[in-house]
Amino acid sequence: DIQNTTVFGVIVAIAFCHMLNDMMQSLLPAIYPNLKANFGLSFGQIGMVTLVFQITASLLQPLVGLYADKRPTPLALPGGTLFTLAGLTVLSMAHAYPVLLIGACLIGMGSSVFHPESSRVARMASGGRHGLAQSMFQVGGNTGQALGPLAAAVVVARWGQFSLAVFALMALLSCAILWNVAVWYKAHGLARLTAASKARADQPPLPAGKAAFGIFILMVLITSKYLYLSSLSSYYTFFLIERFHLSVQADQLHLFAFLAAVAVGTMIGGPIGDRFGRKYVIWFSILGTLPFTLMLPYVSLFWTGPLTVIIGLILASAFPAIVVFAQELAPGKVGMVSGLSFGFSFGVGGLGAAALGVMADHTGIAMVYRICAFLPALGLAAALLPDIERKKG
């Protein structure tokens, strides 16, 4: 049966390209301490770099997804990587703050093409194991985000800003792999899409209002998750420097441990959602981090590392379940919903980074973590999600 076979080769290929894509992106926040020193930037200006990158990605993603739902474009996948290549090249040669913003903008555009289309390919290749496919796809991205700070510590810290041009070569490797994925997409993926839409025609759809409300609740949960993740991915290094006087290298290792935990949590979340129901995973994953986020601003260095690992592990398990839940609320609009989920998470992260940067300038970085500690309480909203999984038995 064309629908029920899981094509692991395709899922692994896009997961690997997701790793390369997000590693190249995560070099940007990883070199913030260097940029702050070289360009004399304030926290507010650093937040603005993140905002430009993430807003470019977030606003375009649902539009790319919506277009691809109506007119599937397999070659968009390899084409999108060229924006990332251009962005890293611009960043490597930037000598002024506005040029940094242009480089960040180009990297964001590469991301906006990659995420909705590759998330749709993961669903095509899943053979019905949607949570597993999303987890594998997303863990590629999380692994890339975790490797970014290590690459920055090993390469950029030693050879400087210009060494970013070396990482641009990874975009060419990604382009070559995604070309082959695009060939599969055209030859087999489109046939799977047609078969899936025929199978859906037999099931009564959820009322439009109920589906829209469900997606709204998922966006509230993404807001809670990504505002907190943004506080850690953008400012955790500064928090460790201010509170515990660690070196930049030691900071990057702590950031790597947190991001590696996020990768593990993402891998676990999808299959557990397939097995026990996505609603339970979403509920536990966001609300379950609350005790640990409340403790984090007050503990010693010894406990800071383990607590951030636990937070990353639990919080990350929600996102594969959220994306699949959203896709099932709006069947036939997989690209748009995937783009909205990824794009909204990027946008919230970008706006959050900018707002938290301004807050850090005025109140100090420690206060940011005391306030953000309450964000996981928004996980209570998961109780309002519609019960769509029971229909499947």
Side-chain angles (χ1 to χ4, degrees):
D1 182 5
I2 193 169
Q3 280 299 101
N4 295 330
T5 45
T6 307
V7 188
F8 284 106
V10 169
I11 298 171
V12 168
I14 56 166
F16 180 72
C17 291
H18 199 185
M19 182 191 80
L20 293 179
N21 181 77
D22 285 25
M23 179 184 171
M24 290 183 285
Q25 282 175 25
S26 69
L27 285 169
L28 184 59
I31 62 164
Y32 281 169
N34 305 57
L35 295 178
K36 193 174 192 295
N38 296 347
F39 290 83
L41 305 181
S42 68
F43 282 123
Q45 286 176 304
I46 284 176
M48 191 55 67
V49 174
T50 306
L51 178 67
V52 165
F53 156 62
Q54 294 192 311
I55 289 293
T56 316
S58 67
L59 290 180
L60 290 175
Q61 282 199 45
L63 298 176
V64 171
L66 188 62
Y67 177 83
D69 284 331
K70 291 178 179 170
R71 294 187 60 184
T73 314
L75 289 178
L77 278 170
T81 56
L82 302 178
F83 286 109
T84 309
L85 189 150
L88 281 171
T89 308
V90 168
L91 281 177
S92 71
M93 297 185 288
H95 294 296
Y97 181 62
V99 183
L100 281 182
L101 295 177
I102 291 168
C105 181
L106 284 166
I107 292 177
M109 288 170 75
S111 201
S112 71
V113 177
F114 176 81
H115 283 103
E117 272 297 80
S118 46
S119 180
R120 177 223 286 287
V121 171
R123 190 173 176 92
M124 278 178 196
S126 70
R129 297 162 79 180
H130 304 310
L132 174 67
Q134 280 302 323
S135 273
M136 287 177 68
F137 166 62
Q138 287 173 28
V139 87
N142 294 139
T143 306
Q145 286 166 17
L147 290 173
L150 278 189
V154 173
V155 179
V156 184
R158 188 169 302 173
W159 286 291
Q161 186 185 335
F162 185 72
S163 63
L164 287 175
V166 176
F167 292 101
L169 295 174
M170 290 182 179
L172 290 176
L173 171 62
S174 184
C175 186
I177 295 168
L178 289 173
W179 182 273
N180 287 318
V181 171
V183 170
W184 177 87
Y185 182 163
K186 198 170 180 182
H188 305 287
L190 292 173
R192 284 173 166 244
L193 269 185
T194 309
S197 56
K198 281 180 184 166
R200 269 198 313 271
D202 304 333
Q203 297 171 354
L206 204 65
K210 204 171 181 184
F213 179 72
I215 288 172
F216 169 74
I217 294 296
L218 292 174
M219 296 304 120
V220 169
L221 297 172
I222 285 176
T223 300
S224 153
K225 171 181 154 58
Y226 274 89
L227 271 180
Y228 194 83
L229 283 180
S230 181
S231 77
L232 281 170
S233 56
S234 289
Y235 300 109
Y236 185 41
T237 50
F238 297 111
F239 173 71
L240 293 171
I241 289 168
E242 185 182 294
R243 189 163 156 78
F244 303 113
H245 312 291
L246 296 185
S247 70
V248 172
Q249 253 91 352
D251 279 344
Q252 299 294 4
L253 292 174
H254 272 80
L255 187 57
F256 170 73
F258 163 69
L259 293 170
V262 167
V264 174
T266 304
M267 193 64 236
I268 294 168
I272 291 176
D274 282 342
R275 180 92 185 266
F276 299 107
R278 291 175 235 293
K279 198 168 169 180
Y280 299 115
V281 173
I282 294 167
W283 176 277
F284 168 73
S285 142
I286 296 175
L287 197 60
T289 54
L290 187 60
F292 306 106
T293 58
L294 290 171
M295 285 190 276
L296 182 66
Y298 306 101
V299 295
S300 66
L301 179 60
F302 178 82
W303 288 108
T304 295
L307 271 183
T308 46
V309 165
I310 292 167
I311 289 167
L313 200 64
I314 301 177
L315 200 54
S317 61
F319 199 57
I322 287 174
V323 172
V324 176
F325 203 99
Q327 288 173 345
E328 287 169 1
L329 282 171
K333 296 180 180 171
V334 170
M336 192 271 283
V337 166
S338 302
L340 184 64
S341 302
F342 284 100
F344 191 75
S345 66
F346 272 57
V348 164
L351 288 169
L356 295 172
V358 173
M359 190 194 296
D361 282 333
H362 287 90
T363 65
I365 205 86
M367 181 57 74
V368 168
Y369 286 97
R370 287 186 200 128
I371 293 168
C372 287
F374 293 93
L375 284 169
L378 283 171
L380 287 166
L384 302 172
L385 287 171
D387 289 318
I388 56 171
E389 293 168 312
R390 221 171 281 159
K391 293 177 187 173
K392 300 177 186 179

